[in-house]
Amino acid sequence: PAFGLFLFTIARDPLRIIILIAGAFFWLVSLLLSSLIWFIAVKASDPRDERLQKGLLIFGVMFSVLLQEAFRFLYYKLLRKAIEGLVALSEDGCSPISIQQMAYVAGVGFGLMSGAFSMINLLADALGPGTVGIHGDSQLYFLTSAFMTMVLIFLHTFWGILFFHGCEHRRWWEITAVVVMHLTVSGSSFCNPLYVGSLVPSYLLMAAAAAWAYLLSGGSAQNLRRFLLCK
């Protein structure tokens, strides 16, 4: 599904490809910075203190989420400046791409890079040594991880639309909602290996975020009905 989004909505437009790559780069920088902070914190702590190590892991996840959203805001500011430059250079005084389209493409960029790193970790685990579930654990690790990766890609896409809309119209509660949803989805991963505790809330939030983003983008129930009926 993520490849389909890229292929049918982004791949044919060079400007959208540039925005997508830049968005992926911003997400990557946020991950590197949060990983560096977590690495320093772990090295400076007592590795034998399991409670402290678990607390540092929770801190690392929450800090990474906040840093990703901070970089999403920085990317919005950068794209806003880019739109002003495009308008100044255009002959008709109009930007060749709207802020809503930028929000969508930037969200896909964040999501694809997030999904790519998730898949790299999964493939590294799949190479072994060991067999999943050999000690009685769930054998659905790879399947549920794939579904979780997919939902995160879509969530980043919808979050990008909601976040940019909140910044554009100064609706800070929309930005707060994105941060809270991101923290909730990331925090639900601590329910694993009880995968129902992470997958179900994540997909429910994805459905809510998708409907919200659809409405903010100008969608309506009538348009959705026409699309489903191929009219």
Side-chain angles (χ1 to χ4, degrees):
F3 180 71
L5 288 179
F6 170 77
L7 186 64
F8 294 110
T9 64
I10 297 174
R12 298 180 181 180
D13 191 330
L15 182 58
R16 294 186 182 185
I17 293 177
I18 293 173
I19 295 172
L20 180 138
I21 294 174
F25 174 77
F26 268 72
W27 185 92
L28 180 60
V29 172
S30 72
L31 176 67
L32 291 176
L33 289 178
S34 58
S35 300
L36 178 62
I37 297 298
W38 179 77
F39 179 78
I40 294 174
V42 169
K43 289 298 181 181
S45 62
D46 184 4
R48 293 170 295 182
D49 191 338
E50 294 183 2
R51 185 175 181 181
L52 176 60
Q53 293 302 315
K54 184 176 180 179
L56 288 176
L57 179 61
I58 295 174
F59 163 76
V61 171
M62 299 299 114
F63 180 77
S64 176
V65 168
L66 296 176
L67 197 59
Q68 287 177 46
E69 297 306 327
F71 270 80
R72 199 192 302 272
F73 178 74
L74 292 176
Y75 193 40
Y76 163 77
K77 300 295 287 186
L78 178 65
L79 291 178
R80 206 71 192 84
K81 292 291 184 181
I83 286 181
E84 295 175 3
L86 291 172
V87 170
L89 293 174
S90 65
E91 297 180 355
D92 56 359
C94 297
S95 172
I97 185 171
S98 66
I99 189 66
Q100 291 90 350
Q101 292 171 332
M102 282 187 170
Y104 164 74
V105 177
V108 174
F110 268 62
L112 287 179
M113 184 56 72
S114 173
F117 266 80
S118 297
M119 291 305 298
I120 288 174
N121 291 332
L122 285 175
L123 292 175
D125 290 338
L127 293 176
T131 302
V132 176
I134 194 171
H135 294 298
D137 297 324
S138 174
Q139 297 184 357
L140 301 177
Y141 170 70
F142 291 112
L143 181 62
T144 54
S145 297
F147 276 103
M148 196 66 185
T149 299
M150 183 179 69
V151 76
L152 279 174
I153 294 175
F154 282 120
L155 277 171
H156 272 293
T157 302
F158 302 140
W159 288 338
I161 297 173
L162 297 175
F163 195 96
F164 278 41
H165 185 272
C167 293
E168 191 72 8
H169 296 86
R170 298 187 180 277
R171 296 181 179 177
W172 306 115
W173 61 273
E174 291 182 352
I175 299 174
T176 303
V178 170
V179 176
V180 170
M181 283 191 288
H182 200 166
L183 287 170
T184 302
V185 172
S186 297
S188 68
S189 63
F190 292 109
C191 295
N192 296 335
L194 183 61
Y195 297 117
V196 175
S198 59
L199 281 176
V200 173
S202 298
Y203 272 84
L204 290 176
L205 283 175
M206 184 193 71
W212 192 1
Y214 176 73
L215 294 175
L216 290 182
S217 301
S220 65
Q222 184 179 7
N223 290 339
L224 181 61
R225 182 173 177 273
R226 289 178 177 176
F227 169 76
L228 295 176
L229 295 177
C230 299
K231 292 184 177 181

